[in-house]
Amino acid sequence: MSDHEMINLDEMGSMKMSMEALQEELLNNHRIDPNLYIEYDVKRGLRDSAGKGVLTGLTEISDVTAYDLINGRKIPAEGRLYYQGYNIYDLVAGMEGRKFGFEETIFLLLFGRLPSEKDMEMFKGVMANFETLSGRFVRDVVMKASNADIMNSMQRCILTLYTYDSRPEDTSAENVLRQCIELIAKLPLIAVYSYHSYRHFRKDETLFIRNPQKGLSLAENILLMLRPDSVYTELEAKVLDIALILHAEHGGGNNSTFTTHVVTSSGTDTYSSVAASIGSLKGPRHGGANLKVQDMFEDIKAHVKNWADEAEVEAYLRKILNKEAFDRSGLIYGMGHAVYTLSDPREVILKKFARELAEEKGMMEEFALYELVERLAGRLVMEQRRLFKNVCANVDFYSGFVYTMLGIPKELFTPIFAIARIPGWSAHRLEEILNANKIIRPAYKYVGKHADFIPMPKRDTGVDTAEALEEQAAAENPVKDMYAAEIQTDEEQSSEK
């Protein structure tokens, strides 16, 4: 296997034949008749026929609304998002002229109330003391087995932190609170250092590891640690701070937060819970959407000559919807949301700051293209799919553009989402611990067939895997077989002694 622990089947001819036989065996089974989901009223994806999430729990942490109830009827409305009862528009407006907005949001999500000035000074001190990683941990853990997927690196580092905790299995609310705050503070360092390690060890670029500075916000320290010159503008730090706030929480129903509840309900440790939620967020159907938006816009800019020509842009968007362009999925990424109808409040807020940043960066031409696509895409999607529900842009539509303007590499797009969302996961983990005390165990309806046991000589699977294995054995290097036999003989002699 040369330098790789995992087998590359393309380099293993006979092994590849065996695996292809096993793969065919897999694909010939496990196919469930889609009509059975209707027959047994199974809510696929935990959603009803209208796409609304099935109620699985209660929370006070955040609320997402997209309708007004008027005379008993649900009327589509501008989207609203509340953290612990406070409207996200008011929270962002309240940060005007102030730093540490994300830290204030963390306090609100964890403790259910807005902090006073005294609270914030104390909380910032706690965060600053936790915002550190030893040189030994960075060298022995972060820099080992680096790869381009920083989310995997973050999972590995978080699971390893378990061994550095004197009370890793203590799931009391008090200890979990300490663990959560510490992980919230350390995650930006893990993400940025993992990225620098990847650049150095996989792309042969200069390695630099910079410690965060006390007195700076998490947003400021991310930019300071990420950039070679550590220089950033006040607006850049402000926009990243706002982006972190907007991604910090979004109700208990999203996939990664639901994962937090499910895993926490089993009684497992905090490190396993956070690692599981990161694994959920990593999925392209959840946290990786802004990457798709950025890739789509790169494709649009490459194929549309005049970005300001509405007719040309619309024609290309129709090609995307007709699966004739971009990734041929038929999707305009960043458009539509499971809950919001007329607008996503996070997108509305982030768009405002994206405009300010584009003005500072001299990228208003690109911003105008985003605005044009946003204006056209909703109508085109509704026409294509014959929808009556309005299709609005979601927060992912502008977040990738914002990160690009901030000089954040694509490898860190989803990790930044994780850095923002871990306060929400932490709040939900604590809520589950303090209120539920019952393992989450959903039911699955068995729709297979019971069968009588068949002795080995009488079995016929339809795919002769035994024949494929025989071909593999015949194709093996005889020298290798002889070497294996010698080892076996040595082992037998050793056991006899």
Side-chain angles (χ1 to χ4, degrees):
M1 290 187 287
S2 65
D3 294 330
H4 303 285
E5 292 298 325
M6 303 300 289
I7 289 176
N8 182 350
L9 290 178
D10 290 334
E11 299 174 358
M12 306 282 288
S14 58
M15 187 69 168
K16 183 178 181 182
M17 291 172 57
S18 298
M19 281 306 304
E20 286 175 349
L22 293 174
Q23 289 162 2
E24 183 179 350
E25 181 75 13
L26 170 68
L27 297 176
N28 286 336
N29 295 299
H30 301 295
R31 301 293 189 183
I32 296 176
D33 182 354
N35 293 318
L36 293 177
Y37 290 95
I38 300 172
E39 180 180 340
Y40 293 107
D41 193 27
V42 175
K43 306 296 190 295
R44 302 191 72 176
L46 290 181
R47 298 188 188 188
D48 61 21
S49 58
K52 182 180 178 182
V54 174
L55 190 63
T56 59
L58 304 174
T59 185
E60 293 181 337
I61 295 168
S62 70
D63 187 24
V64 180
T65 62
Y67 295 89
D68 288 330
L69 196 61
I70 301 176
N71 297 325
R73 294 181 58 202
K74 288 174 61 176
I75 307 299
E78 302 295 339
R80 297 183 293 273
L81 172 61
Y82 300 87
Y83 290 174
Q84 295 285 6
Y86 293 95
N87 194 308
I88 191 67
Y89 284 112
D90 296 332
L91 292 174
V92 170
M95 305 300 174
E96 186 66 34
R98 296 193 294 119
K99 299 197 308 181
F100 298 98
F102 183 48
E103 285 82 350
E104 188 169 319
T105 301
I106 295 169
F107 188 99
L108 171 63
L109 290 172
L110 291 178
F111 304 109
R113 65 177 178 84
L114 291 170
S116 65
E117 290 184 2
K118 184 178 179 180
D119 291 330
M120 275 307 296
E121 286 306 308
M122 177 269 293
F123 188 64
K124 286 191 296 184
V126 170
M127 289 284 290
N129 284 323
F130 282 148
E131 196 176 2
T132 180
L133 288 172
S134 70
R136 178 185 170 191
F137 184 88
V138 174
R139 182 194 68 224
D140 295 345
V141 181
V142 176
M143 291 188 179
K144 298 296 184 183
S146 61
N147 63 84
D149 198 315
I150 309 303
M151 294 291 278
N152 278 2
S153 299
M154 291 164 72
Q155 283 182 297
R156 175 172 51 81
C157 291
I158 285 171
L159 288 172
T160 306
L161 282 173
Y162 174 102
T163 64
Y164 291 77
D165 191 335
S166 60
R167 292 185 293 159
E169 289 287 348
D170 180 354
T171 57
S172 65
E174 295 84 357
N175 190 55
V176 169
L177 174 64
R178 186 266 306 171
Q179 292 171 327
C180 287
I181 295 176
E182 191 159 4
L183 288 178
I184 290 169
K186 292 185 186 306
L187 200 58
L189 283 71
I190 292 173
V192 174
Y193 293 172
S194 295
Y195 171 69
H196 287 319
S197 298
Y198 155 70
R199 288 177 62 255
H200 177 66
F201 293 109
R202 294 303 180 96
K203 303 185 78 174
D204 199 27
E205 297 184 19
T206 302
L207 173 67
F208 61 92
I209 300 294
R210 185 173 291 107
N211 293 328
Q213 292 183 12
K214 289 191 176 183
L216 298 183
S217 67
L218 275 177
E220 289 175 309
N221 269 323
I222 289 172
L223 295 175
L224 177 140
M225 293 186 294
L226 180 62
R227 296 181 172 182
D229 59 6
S230 298
V231 176
Y232 56 86
T233 69
E234 183 178 337
L235 178 61
E236 287 177 324
K238 179 67 174 179
V239 172
L240 181 55
D241 193 47
I242 294 298
L244 293 173
I245 293 170
L246 296 177
H247 285 88
E249 168 59 11
H250 204 244
N254 66 80
N255 194 280
S256 57
T257 303
F258 184 60
T259 297
T260 298
H261 277 279
V262 172
V263 176
T264 298
S265 75
S266 74
T268 195
D269 64 278
T270 298
Y271 302 95
S272 296
S273 172
V274 173
S277 298
I278 289 177
S280 165
L281 187 70
K282 177 191 172 185
R285 294 180 182 177
H286 189 5
N290 53 17
L291 278 170
K292 276 291 191 180
V293 175
Q294 278 302 95
D295 291 341
M296 179 185 73
F297 268 93
E298 290 302 317
D299 181 77
I300 291 172
K301 288 190 284 187
H303 292 90
V304 174
K305 293 181 180 179
N306 184 356
W307 299 352
D309 187 331
E310 183 171 323
E312 187 180 2
V313 172
E314 179 173 330
Y316 196 72
L317 290 177
R318 288 188 183 278
K319 283 186 176 182
I320 293 176
L321 283 172
N322 291 329
K323 302 182 180 181
E324 299 170 357
F326 186 41
D327 63 358
R328 288 171 169 73
S329 66
L331 299 174
I332 296 180
Y333 293 97
M335 296 301 301
H337 192 269
V339 179
Y340 296 123
T341 53
L342 300 186
S343 65
D344 178 344
R346 303 167 301 169
E347 184 268 348
V348 174
I349 294 170
L350 195 59
K351 178 180 178 179
K352 171 181 174 292
F353 286 96
R355 178 189 292 274
E356 292 182 23
L357 197 57
E359 289 174 349
E360 180 179 272
K361 300 287 185 182
M363 298 180 68
M364 284 303 294
E365 187 178 2
E366 286 88 344
F367 179 80
L369 175 61
Y370 274 79
E371 272 197 316
L372 178 57
V373 171
E374 178 188 4
R375 180 163 56 84
L376 295 173
R379 172 176 58 82
L380 294 176
V381 172
M382 290 176 67
E383 290 177 3
Q384 176 85 3
R385 300 182 183 173
R386 296 178 180 150
L387 299 175
F388 296 101
K389 173 187 171 183
N390 187 67
V391 177
C392 66
N394 59 54
V395 68
D396 292 315
F397 193 85
Y398 285 98
S399 63
F401 180 47
V402 166
Y403 295 156
T404 300
M405 288 191 288
L406 290 174
I408 295 173
K410 287 185 177 181
E411 291 91 344
L412 282 175
F413 279 16
T414 313
I416 291 291
F417 195 166
I419 290 168
R421 185 55 61 87
I422 189 174
W425 295 336
S426 300
H428 281 276
R429 175 165 170 77
L430 289 163
E431 189 175 60
E432 183 72 29
I433 287 172
L434 290 168
N435 294 283
N437 290 322
K438 194 174 184 68
I439 189 169
I440 296 174
R441 188 188 182 281
Y444 273 71
K445 174 69 178 177
Y446 178 72
V447 293
K449 296 178 180 179
H450 295 171
D452 294 328
F453 179 79
I454 303 172
M456 176 71 78
K458 297 182 179 180
R459 296 176 196 169
D460 180 12
T461 63
V463 177
D464 197 346
T465 53
E467 182 179 335
L469 291 172
E470 287 175 4
E471 291 178 358
Q472 174 190 340
E476 291 292 343
N477 189 333
V479 176
K480 180 179 177 181
D481 291 341
M482 183 173 63
Y483 177 67
E486 290 175 357
I487 293 176
Q488 185 178 6
T489 302
D490 290 342
E491 288 175 347
E492 290 171 351
Q493 291 175 351
S494 176
S495 64
E496 288 172 2
K497 292 178 181 178

